[in-house]
Amino acid sequence: MTTLEIKNLHVSVETDQGSKQILRGVDLTIKSGEIHAVMGPNGSGKSTLAYSVAGHPKYEVTDGQILLDGEDVLEMSVDERARAGLFLAMQYPVEIPGVSVSNFLRTAKTALSGEAPKLREWVGDLRDAMGNLRMDSDFTERNVNEGFSGGEKKRHEILQLELLKPKIAILDETDSGLDVDALKVVSEGVNRAHADNGLGVLLITHYTRILRYIKPDFVHVFVAGKVAEQGGAELAERLENEGYDRYTKAAV
Amino acid sequence: MAAQHGLEAHSHGNVPIQTRSERPRSTSVSDFPELSNRQEIWRYVPLDKLSGLDKEVMGELTESEVTAELASGTSMRWVDSTDPLVGSAGLPEERVSAAAWTNASKTLVIEVEAESETTDASFLKIAPNTAEAKALHVVVSVGNHAKATIALDHLGQGVLGENVEIVLGDGAQLNFVTLQEWESGSTHVSTQFSKLGRDSSLKHVVVTMGGDLVRVVPAVSLSSAGAEVNMYGVYLAGSGNYFEHRPYVDHIAENCVSNVAYKGALQGAGAHTVWVGDVLIRESAVGTSTYELNRNLLLTDGARADSVPNLEIETGKIEGAGHASASGRFDDEQLFYLMSRGIDEDQAKKLVVRGFLSEVIQKIGIESIEQRLISAIEAELEKAGA
């Protein structure tokens, strides 16, 4: 059982106009096997939350704590966070020219488990995971994210989620830019990782569409850098019908 | 001053004021002025490191300093430099090349028999036994419809002024590689002239990894119709390295293709690389297709990469002509992406650098050289500051 605790998190980002505060006291706790949806309008700080947990250098934590089973995540480097069991599926995965998917995945798996995976087992796991995500086998020969379509990028993120087997995953708008078929395939992947590995999920999304395929246990509405309301799946339905107007008006 | 076509839209720094084809040619040192940084072709070069290569008199490299491992169909011999083969691909355009030319009384001739085909590579190790200024002249001659791979491997410590002539017969295919893996204290200026026969194809690869001053100027003359040249370069410069590459493609005949791609990584204070790519499409070169590219990755502060693509076009009847040049710092987003998957910073950097250079490394086509290069890159990145 793993617990990720985010306590009173305040985060700023450097801009040309100076330091700008984005997160203003976020409290969230995610445990193994739980699915949390974080929803909110554009600019509410959802992605900042994701990147701050992963440790992107652009974001400065000015107050608060992030703990993984009591360990101070803020003291860890980006790669240490990943090795501690955190995973971020990115909204805009980065191209790495000249590095094949196959080389990348094997290097990451080796870094996470401390030893190179047994070749035969690994090849089998990779083939199965790619089959499940309806990815062609020649995909592994392509360079990481280079020339990938939007759907391919997201499948590749979920492929990593399934192969690297983190404890807690943050999915940053994984649903954006996907057609319905791709959305289903990607959602199935998340559900498999959840069912097979007891993955804890923090699902960041702007839309309720993905919640038809991934059922959240908790829904948090994010407005102006903090959680404005929390509830169960029924809160998502209400957002579907009413939108974010009620919160944004209140915030202004 | 000649017209400069296709250059107006760019801001790559100063452009040469002369048309490339109008440079004087001579084998006589005294026909060229003393070197100065005010001359365009020497503007970046640290002239104090030339170690005598611009002098009228120097020694010459001897047979014992070259060892060969030859594939079938390929032979090697030394001839007097009065041999008619010498000068068949080109003549010096500047003083250092002229000095190397006149001081080499002997010429190393590597010949590939017409119509012979092999996938094995011939390796020539060029390792000077002293670090005095020496001249070397090499002629590589590939017969009609022959197919061969030849690598010149420069290593050890030396001061070498070199001219290499590459002559391809009709329909010949040559994969030529020149490696500069000099130890520190070395200076190397290599001027290379290639003349391609009808429908022939040259892959010209430059790999530069060591030496205080290394300057490679490969010129390719596309004077027969249907010829194709692919020029690739990879370089890795550390502190104390000055590497300059000036590929030049002269499109004269119709329907020729050229493609130039050089990539370099720089690390450490004082590491300096220069790339000047000249492409000239003459009025007669109808149907030309050309593209040249140079990219540099600066891994640390204090390194400097100059990159100047020049394209002169004298006819509008071409298939296509383009160029690209960019020098950038390490991409933090790439590093973050890899590290967020558990890969530590050192290894993430290695992956990115290898990936960056691999596009060109993969084009070499000689497994042993590709592996050596990858190992050398890893070793370089192990050094402090990476």
Side-chain angles (χ1 to χ4, degrees):
Chain A
M1 175 61 113
T2 300
T3 306
L4 176 71
E5 292 172 276
I6 299 166
K7 296 180 177 174
N8 190 33
L9 193 68
H10 288 67
V11 174
S12 296
V13 61
E14 281 303 317
T15 69
D16 294 339
Q17 287 80 40
S19 178
K20 187 181 174 213
Q21 193 172 20
I22 312 247
L23 298 188
R24 302 159 188 272
V26 177
D27 292 290
L28 270 179
T29 300
I30 299 133
K31 294 186 173 139
S32 292
E34 293 179 352
I35 298 180
H36 294 249
V38 167
M39 307 191 63
N42 289 329
S44 59
K46 303 187 301 287
S47 285
T48 297
L49 176 66
Y51 280 94
S52 301
V53 175
H56 193 287
K58 193 174 125 189
Y59 301 96
E60 194 199 346
V61 175
T62 54
D63 198 8
Q65 278 186 305
I66 303 175
L67 302 173
L68 186 68
D69 289 333
E71 298 281 328
D72 187 353
V73 171
L74 296 175
E75 286 297 308
M76 300 179 194
S77 60
V78 175
D79 53 318
E80 283 169 350
R81 294 179 195 204
R83 291 200 294 273
L86 294 173
F87 181 87
L88 170 62
M90 296 191 199
Q91 187 181 359
Y92 304 109
V94 183
E95 291 182 10
I96 320 272
V99 178
S100 69
V101 167
S102 154
N103 184 13
F104 165 64
L105 292 175
R106 209 151 27 87
T107 305
K109 186 69 185 173
T110 304
L112 288 168
S113 55
E115 56 178 358
K118 294 201 175 57
L119 193 61
R120 195 177 228 177
E121 228 168 273
W122 171 248
V123 170
D125 289 351
L126 186 58
R127 197 184 44 226
D128 292 348
M130 287 175 61
N132 285 335
L133 291 166
R134 325 263 203 286
M135 298 166 91
D136 288 335
S137 57
D138 59 4
F139 189 83
T140 53
E141 300 313 312
R142 296 170 65 184
N143 291 332
V144 174
N145 293 319
E146 203 175 52
F148 286 15
S149 68
E152 285 172 333
K153 282 184 181 168
K154 298 301 170 70
R155 282 174 210 227
H156 179 232
E157 294 294 289
I158 301 308
L159 176 66
Q160 295 169 55
L161 175 72
E162 291 203 68
L163 288 168
L164 302 179
K165 299 185 170 50
K167 293 170 182 163
I168 305 280
I170 302 171
L171 312 181
D172 186 15
E173 304 209 14
T174 298
D175 53 334
S176 65
L178 293 183
D179 61 31
V180 174
D181 290 336
L183 183 65
K184 280 184 191 167
V185 168
V186 159
S187 300
E188 282 167 19
V190 176
N191 289 332
R192 266 194 307 275
H194 174 249
D196 297 348
N197 311 327
L199 179 73
V201 178
L202 182 65
L203 179 74
I204 292 174
T205 180
H206 185 76
Y207 307 103
T208 52
R209 192 176 59 143
I210 194 172
L211 303 181
R212 282 177 224 150
Y213 307 103
I214 301 174
K215 294 292 171 203
D217 303 305
F218 306 93
V219 173
H220 312 267
V221 182
F222 229 61
V223 180
K226 59 205 281 188
V227 176
E229 189 174 4
Q230 353 202 9
E234 75 289 345
L235 183 53
E237 280 161 37
R238 194 170 162 199
L239 286 172
E240 166 106 52
N241 298 328
E242 298 177 9
Y244 296 113
D245 284 0
R246 170 162 79 89
Y247 302 103
T248 44
K249 275 175 192 143
V252 171
Chain B
M1 191 190 293
Q4 291 285 317
H5 301 280
L7 285 165
E8 287 80 1
H10 294 272
S11 56
H12 298 302
N14 298 337
V15 293
I17 54 162
Q18 70 195 29
T19 277
R20 180 74 198 239
S21 58
E22 287 174 359
R23 286 188 193 163
R25 286 153 205 267
S26 169
T27 58
S28 172
V29 182
S30 58
D31 283 347
F32 299 100
E34 293 276 344
L35 307 193
S36 146
N37 289 127
R38 284 197 300 275
Q39 295 154 7
E40 193 282 328
I41 57 172
W42 300 109
R43 61 182 287 213
Y44 299 102
V45 178
L47 298 173
D48 56 324
K49 286 191 189 171
L50 266 178
S51 312
L53 290 180
D54 56 335
K55 299 286 177 283
E56 296 218 26
V57 179
M58 71 181 92
E60 79 180 293
L61 203 87
T62 55
E63 293 186 27
S64 65
E65 294 164 285
V66 179
T67 48
E69 200 182 295
L70 301 174
S72 66
T74 304
S75 62
M76 180 185 113
R77 63 198 160 97
W78 290 83
V79 302
D80 286 335
S81 295
T82 50
D83 193 286
L85 265 175
V86 175
S88 52
L91 290 172
E93 291 183 353
E94 42 77 9
R95 188 180 170 95
V96 172
S97 173
W101 197 289
T102 49
N103 282 287
S105 71
K106 296 279 188 183
T107 290
L108 172 62
V109 176
I110 302 155
E111 260 173 326
V112 180
E113 228 175 279
E115 296 186 28
S116 68
E117 284 194 25
T118 174
T119 50
D120 295 335
S122 295
F123 287 93
L124 285 101
K125 278 202 171 106
I126 297 167
N129 51 24
T130 59
E132 324 158 69
K134 289 177 184 176
L136 173 65
H137 199 112
V138 180
V139 174
V140 175
S141 174
V142 182
N144 292 346
H145 305 290
K147 199 173 168 183
T149 299
I150 294 170
L152 299 187
D153 196 355
H154 303 86
L155 64 172
Q157 198 184 54
V159 175
L160 187 66
E162 181 184 49
N163 288 296
V164 178
E165 296 186 70
I166 298 169
V167 183
L168 264 60
D170 292 346
Q173 292 178 42
L174 175 66
N175 180 5
F176 176 84
V177 183
T178 175
L179 290 116
Q180 291 68 239
E181 292 184 279
W182 297 103
E183 289 167 14
S184 67
S186 299
T187 297
H188 182 199
V189 176
S190 181
T191 311
Q192 310 194 344
F193 311 88
S194 302
K195 193 175 172 193
L196 273 60
R198 193 180 173 89
D199 299 322
S200 68
S201 161
L202 171 66
K203 178 154 78 176
H204 185 282
V205 181
V206 178
V207 177
T208 304
M209 291 186 286
D212 294 1
L213 187 170
V214 176
R215 183 181 202 254
V216 183
V217 185
V220 175
S221 172
L222 295 172
S223 53
S224 298
E228 174 174 344
V229 64
N230 288 286
M231 303 176 80
Y232 301 112
V234 186
Y235 45 93
L236 188 64
S239 288
N241 292 136
Y242 172 86
F243 298 157
E244 179 171 315
H245 300 101
R246 288 183 177 247
Y248 169 40
V249 183
D250 187 359
H251 276 274
I252 301 165
E254 296 184 1
N255 301 319
C256 290
V257 175
S258 68
N259 177 37
V260 181
Y262 276 61
K263 281 190 163 190
L266 295 81
Q267 165 174 278
H272 186 187
T273 65
V274 173
W275 181 88
V276 180
D278 290 345
V279 173
L280 168 61
I281 303 171
R282 301 195 193 220
E283 204 177 348
S284 53
V286 173
T288 288
S289 172
T290 179
Y291 192 79
E292 58 169 347
L293 169 147
N294 175 232
R295 297 212 187 287
N296 298 291
L297 182 60
L298 286 88
L299 303 178
T300 57
D301 289 334
R304 172 178 163 180
D306 289 286
S307 180
V308 186
N310 296 313
L311 183 58
E312 292 180 69
I313 307 177
E314 294 174 351
T315 173
K317 296 177 197 156
I318 57 169
E319 283 290 311
H323 65 202
S325 153
S327 299
R329 299 192 51 79
F330 217 92
D331 185 341
D332 290 336
E333 296 300 326
Q334 293 181 343
L335 215 54
F336 173 73
Y337 188 75
L338 294 171
M339 289 177 71
S340 77
R341 271 50 176 155
I343 300 167
D344 68 37
E345 187 172 350
D346 284 354
Q347 206 181 358
K349 280 190 171 179
K350 276 185 202 169
L351 269 180
V352 172
V353 175
R354 263 180 65 166
F356 173 76
L357 296 176
S358 74
E359 181 193 352
V360 179
I361 294 174
Q362 285 163 4
K363 296 277 169 47
I364 296 174
I366 305 173
E367 178 75 21
S368 64
I369 292 178
E370 291 178 12
Q371 285 309 319
R372 246 159 73 194
L373 192 49
I374 288 167
S375 310
I377 292 166
E378 308 238 310
E380 184 63 32
L381 293 171
E382 294 286 338
K383 289 183 186 169

